[in-house]
Amino acid sequence: MSGKPRLTYLNGRGRMEPVRWLLAAAGVEFEEVFLETREQFEKLIKDGSLMFHQVPLVEIDGMKMVQTRAILSYIAGKYNLYGRDLKERALIDMYVEGITDLMQMILMFPFSPPEAKEKNIDSIKERATNRYFPVFEKVLKQHGQDFLVGNKFSWADVQLIEAILAVEEKIPAVLSGFPQLQAFKIKMSNMPTIKKFLQPGSPRKPPPDERYVETVFNIFKK
């Protein structure tokens, strides 16, 4: 074993992508195992590796961790990306939960039927521009700092830049009315660890395609 965290998931974004983002932002190298068949998934269950019979699975510090939120919380705490005290942690939690709600729409988009995709794009745009992005625009404007919480790089910043780029893939002009978020995007994208993760050949996964959707159904749908 190399000592690097080991990530087991499909070769695509899904619920593992925020984990990849957070590890990469922290400057942590990791290994990946990609599930391709139902048999591989069932073997993990049989071996007792999946507590609730679900992936993502992250092997780190001698643990086999499941449940995305638990994995992310552990990584954020381990690499000093979870605030200085309980109040900062609570703020980070609130921001992360909000961003996760928005990202859930992105996560499910590839699985929507063709006739619903245009409507779903409109829903993503409406939620992003009217509910979620205004919150972070206001926060950044009010405190005038580079980062969301405590003027220190945190898990919340990582989640937000991931969400901004994911929404922009579908709605390129989504930040047109958010100058603070435009500046935030530039700053975050130029942080050395994030800049490296955004380069071709990094562990960052491309937007889901039909092959990814088919693999998901083949592995998880009986």
Side-chain angles (χ1 to χ4, degrees):
M1 291 293 290
S2 68
K4 296 177 182 177
R6 187 183 191 193
L7 283 52
T8 300
Y9 198 70
L10 285 72
N11 189 9
R13 289 184 182 176
R15 299 189 186 280
M16 186 66 89
E17 194 70 355
V19 178
R20 299 184 186 107
W21 264 94
L22 194 57
L23 286 169
V28 179
E29 294 185 357
F30 53 87
E31 300 173 347
E32 296 198 73
V33 176
F34 298 125
L35 299 178
E36 297 177 349
T37 66
R38 175 79 185 179
E39 289 71 27
Q40 289 174 301
F41 178 58
E42 289 177 342
K43 185 177 186 302
L44 286 174
I45 296 173
K46 184 177 179 181
D47 292 346
S49 296
L50 302 180
M51 183 180 291
F52 300 110
H53 298 186
Q54 294 173 316
V55 288
L57 167 65
V58 174
E59 297 172 73
I60 185 171
D61 295 340
M63 298 184 292
K64 292 186 176 182
M65 295 197 70
V66 295
Q67 297 298 315
T68 310
R69 174 65 198 234
I71 294 166
L72 289 166
S73 296
Y74 183 81
I75 293 168
K78 178 178 174 68
Y79 295 105
N80 198 26
L81 296 170
Y82 212 171
R84 296 181 180 91
D85 55 35
L86 279 174
K87 287 186 177 181
E88 288 192 357
R89 181 173 174 174
L91 269 178
I92 290 168
D93 283 340
M94 286 194 290
Y95 293 156
V96 164
E97 289 291 329
I99 298 164
T100 302
D101 289 345
L102 174 60
M103 287 300 291
Q104 180 68 15
M105 300 176 73
I106 301 286
L107 187 70
M108 298 309 299
F109 179 80
F111 303 96
S112 57
E115 64 272 15
K117 287 192 182 297
E118 185 175 347
K119 180 181 178 181
N120 289 344
I121 286 285
D122 289 340
S123 295
I124 292 169
K125 181 179 180 180
E126 192 277 330
R127 290 285 184 89
T129 57
N130 293 326
R131 181 181 298 188
Y132 296 105
F133 286 173
V135 170
F136 301 107
E137 180 77 7
K138 182 179 179 181
V139 168
L140 292 168
K141 185 175 182 178
Q142 283 184 336
H143 64 38
Q145 298 169 348
D146 291 342
F147 305 111
L148 288 171
V149 179
N151 203 24
K152 184 177 182 293
F153 184 52
S154 78
W155 174 20
D157 300 302
V158 181
Q159 289 273 112
L160 181 55
I161 184 61
E162 180 192 359
I164 286 171
L165 296 179
V167 175
E168 279 190 329
E169 285 175 349
K170 294 176 170 47
I171 309 154
V174 72
L175 290 187
S176 59
F178 301 99
Q180 299 293 330
L181 289 182
Q182 292 174 32
F184 175 86
K185 172 191 164 185
I186 293 170
K187 289 172 188 172
M188 291 300 105
S189 298
N190 282 298
M191 288 188 64
T193 55
I194 291 179
K195 187 173 183 178
K196 181 180 179 182
F197 189 61
L198 295 176
Q199 299 304 309
S202 85
R204 186 187 183 210
K205 301 299 180 272
D209 56 15
E210 291 182 4
R211 181 180 178 185
Y212 172 78
V213 172
E214 181 181 355
T215 304
V216 169
F217 280 116
N218 288 341
I219 292 176
F220 301 122
K221 302 293 184 182
K222 286 188 177 181

